[in-house]
Amino acid sequence: MKPSADVLEIIACAVLILVSFVGNVCLFYSTSKCITGGLQTSFLLMISLVFVHLIKNLVVNILKIVYSSGIFLDSAGCKVLHFTAALTTSLAIWFMLHFAVLYLQKLYQIVYPLSGAATLNQQKYSLKGISALWVAGVAVYIPVLIYTKKPEHLNSGNDTGSLSTNRIYMECLTGFGNEQVELYYGKIFLVLIDILPLAVLVFVCFWMALLLLEKKKMTYGDIWIGDDDSETEVLRGAKFSILLMLLITPLWVSHFILVCFLKDLAAYVFIPAVLTALSSGFSALSPFLLMLVNYKMKLVSFCGVKQEKSTPQPADVILSPYA
């Protein structure tokens, strides 16, 4: 007997919730141990990503499990589901772009040293920027929260035909009541606010790859004697930004394509589980990559611990009569 679409989606959601919860809790723990003397922008971004990932899995995927278990969502449940899913997806992309731009700036300063370093004003600006992204995300998706509803004729719980495999995507509808608003906001604007940052992210990571190659060539020329901890963190952050871009971009594009052809694919029972994996895969896998940004190269301790080990100086040095 083949498993139903609901069973497959429940399994996918459960696995993603477990992996994401473990990964994000570990990321929060490792990031908190690295915070010494103040919150750096990279730490703020990681903490923001942790909350975004946990909200996606503990709200969206749990609602999907409830819905797939046979407990039908009302209009309020549909509103929370669509609003939270869309908001967390966009915030993950925006914060990931901010993260990549941050390490691009740091890497550029290493390859082409500048006279000035990051100032306190720049730090405050980054904090305001992160806060602005949260506010902008909520503001952008307020219409989705308002206009998403479940049609009255579906509230009876009838479950027929191809709707049974994609109820959560076809029964919770967002109708703006105006064709122009539906076109310009629902089909153009909401897509552009994700796809444009993704395009910029790809460009930024391509630029970082060129800078990494440039530094590698200069290192072979013996310009650098060695890397200190801060430089190692920048290089690792740049490399993992590229890996994270290669993870989030295919997942978003694949999810977008499947949603566009959802009605044609409704007959396949695995489609809901695949959509769930694509929409939540980044929140489940990225924390494990982000942890490595602040993890020591020898994998023996989290950041900040190794610095405590200093080379002891002989006590009899200051006792010399010729000192």
Side-chain angles (χ1 to χ4, degrees):
M1 180 178 179
K2 295 182 179 180
S4 65
D6 291 336
V7 172
L8 291 176
E9 187 167 21
I10 291 173
I11 294 174
C13 289
V15 172
L16 288 166
I17 290 172
L18 177 61
V19 175
S20 180
F21 182 80
V22 172
N24 283 287
V25 169
C26 292
L27 175 60
F28 182 83
Y29 173 76
S30 63
T31 302
S32 64
K33 287 185 69 68
C34 295
I35 299 175
T36 55
L39 283 172
Q40 298 181 18
T41 305
S42 59
F43 295 154
L44 289 171
L45 286 170
M46 287 186 184
I47 292 173
S48 296
L49 283 170
V50 166
F51 282 109
V52 169
H53 295 334
L54 289 177
I55 291 172
K56 175 178 280 292
N57 282 279
L58 297 181
V59 176
V60 177
N61 286 341
I62 286 181
L63 283 176
K64 288 183 179 180
I65 290 177
V66 171
Y67 201 77
S68 297
S69 300
I71 304 175
F72 292 93
L73 298 179
D74 55 9
S75 291
C78 287
K79 289 177 183 290
V80 174
L81 177 63
H82 274 263
F83 173 78
T84 308
L87 174 63
T88 52
T89 298
S90 293
L91 286 178
I93 295 173
W94 298 353
F95 286 136
M96 191 59 243
L97 175 59
H98 195 327
F99 186 84
V101 170
L102 172 68
Y103 279 100
L104 173 65
Q105 294 174 341
K106 293 183 177 182
L107 181 61
Y108 191 88
Q109 291 179 358
I110 291 176
V111 179
Y112 303 105
L114 302 176
S115 57
T119 63
L120 183 60
N121 290 333
Q122 290 175 321
Q123 192 74 13
K124 292 181 179 179
Y125 175 79
S126 298
L127 177 59
K128 292 180 180 179
I130 294 173
S131 302
L133 289 178
W134 279 100
V135 174
V138 174
V140 163
Y141 286 105
I142 282 180
V144 174
L145 182 64
I146 296 175
Y147 290 102
T148 297
K149 61 182 179 179
K150 186 175 181 180
E152 293 296 331
H153 67 278
L154 293 174
N155 287 331
S156 60
N158 294 333
D159 202 12
T160 60
S162 62
L163 280 176
S164 62
T165 62
N166 294 294
R167 293 194 314 267
I168 202 168
Y169 304 99
M170 293 183 175
E171 292 187 3
C172 291
L173 304 177
T174 303
F176 299 101
N178 184 289
E179 292 183 358
Q180 290 185 342
V181 175
E182 179 76 25
L183 174 63
Y184 291 110
Y185 173 78
K187 296 183 178 180
I188 297 179
F189 178 73
L190 292 184
V191 174
L192 289 178
I193 61 174
D194 283 350
I195 200 169
L196 288 180
L198 278 176
V200 176
L201 176 62
V202 172
F203 172 76
V204 168
C205 290
F206 179 74
W207 192 355
M208 276 196 292
L210 295 178
L211 290 175
L212 288 171
L213 290 175
E214 184 68 19
K215 185 192 181 304
K216 187 175 182 181
K217 294 177 182 179
M218 298 176 74
T219 304
Y220 286 147
D222 293 332
I223 292 181
W224 271 278
I225 298 176
D227 297 337
D228 57 16
D229 289 338
S230 61
E231 186 171 319
T232 300
E233 182 255 339
V234 171
L235 296 176
R236 196 181 301 118
K239 293 175 182 178
F240 281 107
S241 295
I242 297 173
L243 289 178
L244 289 168
M245 179 275 295
L246 295 175
L247 175 64
I248 192 173
T249 304
L251 289 176
W252 187 92
V253 173
S254 300
H255 183 270
F256 178 76
I257 293 174
L258 285 181
V259 170
C260 290
F261 296 97
L262 187 59
K263 292 183 178 180
D264 299 327
L265 300 172
Y268 299 95
V269 296
F270 58 84
I271 290 299
V274 172
L275 286 171
T276 297
L278 293 174
S279 63
S280 301
F282 183 75
S283 65
L285 299 177
S286 63
F288 298 99
L289 293 176
L290 287 169
M291 275 189 288
L292 296 177
V293 175
N294 291 318
Y295 202 63
K296 284 300 178 183
M297 295 298 291
K298 294 182 179 179
L299 301 178
V300 293
S301 61
F302 284 107
C303 60
V305 177
K306 189 176 180 180
Q307 284 83 345
E308 297 176 0
K309 298 180 180 180
S310 59
T311 304
Q313 296 182 355
D316 57 344
V317 172
I318 59 175
L319 301 178
S320 172
Y322 302 103

